[in-house]
Amino acid sequence: MRIFRYWNNSLKCLGVITDDDKVYRLDSPDLIALVREAKAANVPTAEYVRSLVLNQVPLEVPADSLDLAVPIDAPEVWAAGVTYLRSREARNYEATDGRLDAETFYDKVYDAERPELFMKSTAARTVGPGEPVCIRSDSSWQVPEAELGLVLDSEGAIIGYTAGNDMSCRDIEGENPLYLPQAKIWRRSCSIGPFVRLADTVADPYALTIACRIYRDGAKVVDESANTGQLKRRLEDLVSFLKKDNELFDGTVLLTGTCLVPPNQFTLASGDRIEIEIEGIGTLTNTAVYTHELE
Ligand code: DO4
Ligand code: MG
């Protein structure tokens, strides 16, 4: 069961795709309200939504044909790093110019009990499906990072799963790890959506194929896939470190790290179309542009 939002006459509406692939409009204002209503009714959210649509007529169009919006206004997006071997390998490459002769802090954090967690984005910097993501003008080595996103409530419970893009500058991060915030955070450097699959309808979050495809001038220039089974950490452990002495807000998103990095010679160019697909969750599509091209 997947919750989404879409534009209808300049209004953001809430919708659901049920397990039998029917699409319904929901009256609740947003996902968090829906979760609260289910809690008040003392039933799991998916069961509550099933009861809401029981006697409703489904929309006649597939969800993909609607004008999909960001599924949740995440007040904060956090991200975990170096949670997959592929990320460790890529970061060691960019930090050492390919001369891998000593243990790096990426090797250390991959094995440490404490995960790398960083603030990735705020609601104002986060875009949804179909919206442009931005590339920085002071970087010449930029990639999307396809990541499984956890949608959390203020207690840290996982409400659902979404797809996320942690746009990253490999040259800025590789030059000096202290530049991480600049390598990760700028205008429109994060994208999430289009669907949030309710957590109680996902049988095994450690068995999801993640794919990243990039198209340039109509040709596919990147096509990579991996699986959340390769994640080094437990999702609950990432959340428990995020929660420590911290305040979480309903709808916070935690991106769980990338298992896919495009080949080292690849960098994003303006006009590239990025598709991030997570099995059972959906495909997040955005086009990359420079910030000065937005206006
Ligand atoms: O260590 C820097 C960031 C790592 C990251 O974003 C990832 O592994 O996905
Ligand atoms: Mg990342």
Side-chain angles (χ1 to χ4, degrees), residues 68-231:
L68 296 170
V70 68
I72 185 152
D73 297 316
E76 294 177 347
V77 178
W78 289 77
V82 202
T83 51
Y84 290 89
L85 267 181
R86 178 69 188 102
S87 175
R88 179 174 90 169
E89 177 191 283
R91 294 194 142 82
N92 277 336
Y93 180 86
E94 70 210 21
T96 65
D97 296 326
R99 294 186 306 273
L100 296 172
D101 45 13
E103 192 186 40
T104 65
F105 44 83
Y106 294 113
D107 297 320
K108 287 184 187 151
V109 84
Y110 182 78
D111 288 318
E113 189 198 350
R114 181 189 294 278
E116 178 197 359
L117 293 175
F118 58 93
M119 172 74 90
K120 168 64 191 175
S121 192
T122 54
R125 293 184 179 86
T126 305
V127 301
E131 296 186 84
V133 286
C134 284
I135 42 183
R136 286 184 72 114
S137 56
D138 59 351
S139 163
S140 52
W141 196 14
Q142 301 185 65
V143 291
E145 291 191 354
E147 308 196 6
L148 175 69
L150 314 179
V151 181
L152 306 174
D153 70 10
S154 59
E155 309 279 295
I158 301 174
I159 296 171
Y161 300 95
T162 193
N165 179 355
D166 168 22
M167 294 282 284
S168 299
C169 299
R170 297 186 68 183
D171 48 357
I172 297 178
E173 181 183 334
E175 188 180 340
N176 189 322
L178 298 180
Y179 294 151
L180 190 74
Q182 293 174 77
K184 293 290 190 178
I185 307 171
W186 62 94
R187 189 175 176 190
R188 291 172 175 266
S189 65
C190 179
S191 169
I192 56 170
F195 306 114
V196 176
R197 178 134 182 206
L198 293 177
D200 41 356
T201 68
V202 175
D204 184 1
Y206 302 97
L208 304 174
T209 300
I210 305 188
C212 181
R213 297 178 287 271
I214 303 174
Y215 296 86
R216 183 170 297 168
D217 302 325
K220 202 184 326 180
V221 290
V222 170
D223 188 358
E224 308 258 335
S225 69
N227 193 283
T228 55
Q230 296 153 358
L231 182 65

